[in-house]
Amino acid sequence: MTDEELRKQIAAQLDIQNLHDLKALMNTPEGRRFFSWLVMRCGQNDTSFTRDSRTYFNEGMRNVALMLESCLKALGLGGVDLMHKAEREYIIFQADLREKILDKKQGGK
């Protein structure tokens, strides 16, 4: 076996393990929340064009988010369901945080 063949086999096994690990992560509320935070921070839905070299950085970050989404989709409908569950939970989590902050601010007046 050549070194190149060995590297390809190792990479294939790592891809399989990473998908398994991602599925395990997404099966926990904490994992889904972290996944959603990371995708958001990577600017998946943001405009990346800045008219200067920051565009390249922004596109690199956005590509990470797209890769993570693609990995979930590779798990099939179950992965897509987990992604949607994560998105929904994160929206609710943010709304709850907003309410807590506003309640605390109003209580302090």
Side-chain angles (χ1 to χ4, degrees):
M1 175 178 295
T2 67
D3 285 345
E4 182 62 26
E5 290 170 335
L6 179 59
R7 275 193 288 274
K8 286 181 181 180
Q9 285 189 14
I10 290 171
Q13 290 300 312
L14 286 172
D15 286 346
I16 291 167
Q17 184 62 51
N18 288 336
L19 286 176
H20 174 76
D21 293 347
L22 181 58
K23 185 176 182 181
L25 178 78
M26 293 296 287
N27 276 312
T28 68
E30 296 84 3
R32 289 188 300 274
R33 188 170 47 247
F34 179 77
F35 177 88
S36 295
W37 170 83
L38 183 60
V39 167
M40 183 191 73
R41 294 292 294 175
C42 286
Q44 178 186 19
N45 297 318
D46 296 342
T47 301
S48 58
F49 183 71
T50 62
R51 296 184 186 243
D52 60 34
S53 61
R54 287 178 297 164
T55 298
Y56 300 112
F57 176 80
N58 292 345
E59 272 301 297
M61 292 285 286
R62 189 170 170 275
N63 193 51
V64 170
L66 294 173
M67 182 218 32
L68 289 169
E69 183 179 281
S70 178
C71 287
L72 274 178
K73 289 178 180 178
L75 294 172
L77 288 177
V80 172
D81 289 343
L82 286 169
M83 184 171 54
H84 290 161
K85 185 175 185 177
E87 290 169 347
R88 179 177 169 71
E89 289 173 353
Y90 201 66
I91 290 167
I92 293 168
F93 178 70
Q94 289 179 80
D96 289 346
L97 281 177
R98 183 179 187 280
E99 288 301 315
K100 285 179 186 177
I101 290 168
L102 289 174
D103 287 347
K104 187 174 182 180
K105 190 174 185 177
Q106 289 173 356
K109 285 187 176 182

